[in-house]
Amino acid sequence: MDFLKPTRYVPMNRRRRIYEGKAKILYEGPEPGTLIQHFKDDATAFNAKKHAIIDGKGVLNNRISEFIFNHLNAMGIPTHFIRRMNMREQLIREVEIIPLEVVVRNVAAGSIATRLGIEEGTQLPRSIIEFYYKNDELNDPMVAEEHITAFGWATPQELDDVMALAIRVNDFLSGLFLGVGIRLVDFKIECGRLFEGDMMRIVVADEISPDSCRLWDINTNEKMDKDRFRRDMGGMLEAYQEVAKRLGILNENERPANTGPTLVQ
Ligand code: TMP
């Protein structure tokens, strides 16, 4: 069956699907050690008890995440990202995902506000890193470093690397968003092990987008992230578009390429 061997371009319907999550699908990539990350329009919250299709969300998150990961790479913060391929897909390096959601908080909101009785919007005395064990059946419970190392989800050295990455991402993202009038309240990253020959290093994986961050307008505190969906506020897509616009990713009235009339000179 040699004629079936994938060439560099594999039509979408013949690609091997490696994994499907709530908002993304991973396909086999064109080269060994690569994958294609496809952004869906699905929005979920509360461990998928709440679900909707938001037309165009995947396209926006693909672009916003591309923008952020390109900057991280350029700053020497290692990530899985190689390049965006099209409206919904990006080429990434295959990594072994560490089963943790790493949350960095600058301002109290969401679960920390509820758990510790802190009013939402309160500036935290310093940035706080929390870990959640990625396990849908258990509802991603919060865990301590002790659990992570005792159960072997990551070694102490790996966890040090994960925390160092999380702090660097926080410093970069806080500045990036502040520059466009947005407060980075908190965000979640996932990290993975990238194997290169005999070497292994921890890199930032998954996505960074308004799905995985809390972003508030500096002046009005208006929410520009997935809380609009979680809290039934409406205007989610418009908020994501505004984030993209402020980052300079979307120009006003941008249309997808090759659609609509073109000016004939
Ligand atoms: P939390 O306040 O609900 O714990 O969320 C903290 C941050 O992590 C917030 O920016 C949203 C993000 N997050 C995810 O990306 N995925 C999740 O499953 C959860 C619960 C939160």
Side-chain angles (χ1 to χ4, degrees), residues 84-101:
R84 183 169 64 85
M85 299 177 69
N86 55 49
M87 299 273 279
R88 288 188 180 272
E89 294 174 330
Q90 39 187 249
L91 185 65
I92 59 169
R93 289 186 204 289
E94 184 171 22
V95 299
E96 191 179 277
I97 289 287
I98 294 173
L100 297 174
E101 302 212 335

Side-chain angles (χ1 to χ4, degrees), residues 101 103 105 109-111 132 186-188 211-214 230:
E101 302 212 335
V103 170
R105 301 181 186 273
S111 69
Y132 295 82
D186 57 33
F187 67 94
K188 183 264 303 187
D211 268 12
S212 57
C213 300
R214 281 200 177 90
R230 295 191 189 94

Side-chain angles (χ1 to χ4, degrees), residues 42-254:
D42 298 64
T44 66
F46 315 115
N47 201 7
K49 283 199 253 317
K50 181 169 177 166
H51 176 253
I53 305 285
I54 310 288
D55 274 338
K57 177 179 82 88
V59 173
L60 282 165
N61 280 355
N62 186 24
R63 293 288 292 267
I64 294 169
S65 201
E66 170 202 19
F67 179 86
I68 291 172
F69 276 78
N70 266 334
H71 278 283
L72 294 177
N73 283 341
M75 291 177 61
I77 301 176
T79 81
H80 72 161
F81 182 83
I82 302 173
R83 64 183 166 81
R84 183 169 64 85
M85 299 177 69
N86 55 49
M87 299 273 279
R88 288 188 180 272
E89 294 174 330
Q90 39 187 249
L91 185 65
I92 59 169
R93 289 186 204 289
E94 184 171 22
V95 299
E96 191 179 277
I97 289 287
I98 294 173
L100 297 174
E101 302 212 335
V102 181
V103 170
V104 182
R105 301 181 186 273
N106 301 305
V107 174
S111 69
I112 197 175
T114 313
R115 190 180 337 113
L116 301 181
I118 308 172
E119 194 186 345
E120 278 214 326
T122 309
Q123 185 78 35
L124 294 168
R126 61 178 174 80
S127 302
I128 293 175
I129 305 183
E130 295 174 344
F131 302 103
Y132 295 82
Y133 177 44
K134 250 173 88 75
N135 184 317
D136 282 342
E137 275 156 50
L138 300 176
N139 254 321
D140 297 349
M142 187 157 101
V143 293
E145 287 183 48
E146 280 285 289
H147 303 105
I148 296 166
T149 53
F151 295 120
W153 299 325
T155 66
Q157 173 60 51
E158 287 174 336
L159 206 45
D160 280 352
D161 292 351
V162 165
M163 285 191 281
L165 280 179
I167 297 291
R168 292 181 75 191
V169 172
N170 186 46
D171 288 346
F172 166 68
L173 282 185
S174 296
L176 174 76
F177 283 119
L178 193 58
V180 295
I182 293 174
R183 179 148 41 140
L184 178 65
V185 170
D186 57 33
F187 67 94
K188 183 264 303 187
I189 56 168
E190 296 183 24
C191 296
R193 299 180 186 94
L194 177 64
F195 294 93
E196 290 169 313
D198 292 342
M199 300 282 287
M200 185 278 286
R201 59 189 173 134
I202 306 292
V203 304
V204 183
D206 192 54
E207 70 176 287
I208 300 177
S209 72
D211 268 12
S212 57
C213 300
R214 281 200 177 90
L215 304 170
W216 295 0
D217 181 87
I218 279 285
N219 297 315
T220 64
N221 280 335
E222 196 177 27
K223 296 185 198 310
M224 305 171 73
D225 56 62
K226 199 166 120 181
D227 270 349
R228 300 203 74 88
F229 172 72
R230 295 191 189 94
R231 303 181 186 193
D232 293 320
M233 300 168 76
M236 182 197 199
L237 200 72
E238 292 75 8
Y240 284 33
Q241 265 163 355
E242 176 64 20
V243 171
K245 227 179 265 175
R246 288 201 197 179
L247 291 174
I249 300 169
L250 282 190
N251 301 319
E252 303 274 337
N253 306 320
E254 187 183 330

